[in-house]
Amino acid sequence: MSAFLDSVKARAKADKKTIVLPESMDRRTFEAAAVVLKEGLADLIILGTPAEVEANSQGLDVAGAVYIDPNTSEKTEAYVQQLYEMRKAKGMTPEQARELLTKDYMYFACMMVKNGEADGVVSGACHSTANTLRPSLQIIKTAPGTKLVSSFFVMVVPDCDMGENGVFVFADCGLNQNPNPEELACIAGSSAASFKELVGAEPRVAMLSHSSKGSAKHADVDKVVEATRIAKEAYPQYMIDGELQADAAMVPSVGSSKAPDSPVAGKANVLVFPDLDAGNIGYKLVQRLAKAEAFGPMCQGIAAPINDLSRGCSSDDIVGVIAITAVQAQAKK
């Protein structure tokens, strides 16, 4: 296990938070829950019917979790009324609210967080990103002062002297298809904050491109140049620079030759990709070719920590994301 995950787990244990797991229909949820409970990383609430829980938890020690069936919970009626009040202007009826809360457990999970009965949610092992984020944005909404919800991965690269001893944040690799300069700047600010919160070191943010400091001319380069200008103005507390090619961002010798006056070049630990294609391809290449651990996609910009798993995740991945979600919840408090 990486030093990064060791450190996150230690922080999670030191101030336990309550995390909701709405995917009782997936065996991996219970495999992860058994580890989280054994290691004392978080208090867990698992949503599901007794039949779902029994079918998917056989042979695992998950007695320490709290189990809630949204179909029979005493909380459901109050949540129905509350969700109806929140969404009636959008045309929602009480019947539709009840249907969502009892059939789509992510809605129930978000209501628990909204009402202070839990600190965060981890979902997505068997649901799409849209299914995870839609209820979050309808119920919990964006964090104060944040214009955009985006996603990031914590990448832990073994035997690597770049980044922060091999630890990086990559963004946005899961959510925003083709961000404009303002959105890209917002992703940079959120990613710097996420890096500081989770890694505990000073973020050095590189705005990536196929160009370094004017080496190429193209509208795609102009977008990153403008995003860098906006980000530096909006987030003066962070070191942000661009546009930089990936090697200029990470390799000291290349950084000093391609961008000698940059405070970030050659030592970036936060990489902001120009679009979702680049970000998604980039993280998967590093994960597979460098055998890196990829924790995410984690969400940033929501008012409470709601994290979306990759559907190809292992139960170990879920344990890592639960620990990270708990640490994010500590920061929110």
Side-chain angles (χ1 to χ4, degrees):
M1 187 168 65
S2 64
F4 165 73
L5 194 54
D6 278 339
S7 136
V8 167
K9 284 184 168 185
R11 288 163 68 191
K13 283 181 202 177
D15 177 14
K16 276 215 291 195
K17 295 298 173 198
T18 300
I19 307 300
V20 188
L21 306 178
E23 294 182 309
S24 58
M25 62 297 294
D26 195 299
R27 171 82 175 173
R28 289 169 295 176
T29 295
F30 293 96
E31 291 169 346
V35 175
V36 169
L37 294 167
K38 186 179 178 192
E39 295 187 14
L41 303 178
D43 294 322
L44 297 179
I45 297 170
I46 299 177
L47 303 181
T49 64
E52 286 167 330
V53 171
E54 190 180 349
N56 293 305
S57 66
Q58 284 183 358
L60 296 168
D61 182 2
V62 286
V66 171
Y67 294 92
I68 295 176
D69 179 354
N71 297 281
T72 57
S73 169
E74 70 279 0
K75 299 177 192 295
T76 303
E77 280 315 306
Y79 286 177
V80 167
Q81 193 55 37
Q82 192 180 356
L83 183 58
Y84 163 64
E85 290 295 337
M86 287 166 68
R87 303 291 298 169
K88 66 182 179 186
K90 303 276 187 200
M92 184 176 283
T93 64
E95 292 71 31
Q96 287 169 328
R98 180 175 285 101
E99 175 85 2
L100 284 173
L101 286 160
T102 55
K103 299 290 181 287
D104 183 343
Y105 299 157
M106 190 64 196
Y107 277 88
F108 196 96
C110 289
M111 291 301 282
M112 293 198 81
V113 172
K114 176 84 173 172
N115 286 291
E117 291 161 353
D119 300 302
V121 184
V122 174
S123 182
C126 55
H127 288 94
S128 69
T129 294
N131 282 46
T132 299
L133 289 185
R134 190 183 304 108
S136 315
L137 294 175
Q138 288 178 1
I139 294 168
I140 296 168
K141 307 204 178 340
T142 53
T146 305
K147 297 187 183 74
L148 184 75
V149 173
S150 57
S151 79
F152 68 96
F153 278 82
V154 177
M155 303 297 295
V156 182
V157 186
D159 306 318
C160 175
D161 56 3
M162 290 178 276
E164 201 64 38
N165 300 315
V167 180
F168 296 84
V169 157
F170 284 18
D172 178 341
C173 309
L175 211 51
N176 293 287
Q177 184 71 50
N178 192 11
N180 63 33
E182 289 78 12
E183 290 168 336
L184 207 51
C186 190
I187 291 166
S190 293
S191 301
S194 292
F195 183 90
K196 190 159 191 180
E197 190 175 287
L198 291 172
V199 184
E202 279 306 311
R204 298 182 294 275
V205 183
M207 309 295 281
L208 297 184
S209 171
H210 69 274
S211 166
S212 289
K213 298 293 182 179
S215 66
K217 300 279 181 254
H218 191 273
D220 288 351
V221 178
D222 297 340
K223 175 176 99 165
V224 178
V225 171
E226 176 63 4
T228 304
R229 184 191 69 73
I230 296 167
K232 283 179 169 178
E233 204 170 278
Y235 309 102
Q237 69 272 39
Y238 298 128
M239 271 188 282
I240 301 173
D241 201 20
E243 86 287 14
L244 293 167
Q245 291 160 292
D247 56 351
M250 292 185 295
V251 182
S253 58
V254 181
S256 60
S257 81
K258 289 189 174 180
D261 301 325
S262 170
V264 170
K267 42 186 188 285
N269 50 26
V270 177
L271 304 184
V272 177
F273 292 84
D275 59 35
L276 190 57
D277 284 339
N280 196 273
I281 292 164
Y283 104 77
K284 286 185 172 166
L285 283 172
V286 173
Q287 180 186 27
R288 300 299 177 181
L289 297 181
K291 298 185 168 49
E293 291 179 285
F295 297 101
M298 242 77 66
C299 299
Q300 50 191 8
I302 303 175
I306 309 292
N307 283 320
D308 175 36
L309 298 159
S310 163
R311 275 176 284 182
C313 67
S314 67
S315 58
D316 285 345
D317 295 334
I318 301 175
V319 172
V321 173
I322 290 170
I324 289 170
T325 307
V327 170
Q328 288 177 314
Q330 292 170 356
K332 286 279 188 275
K333 297 294 179 197

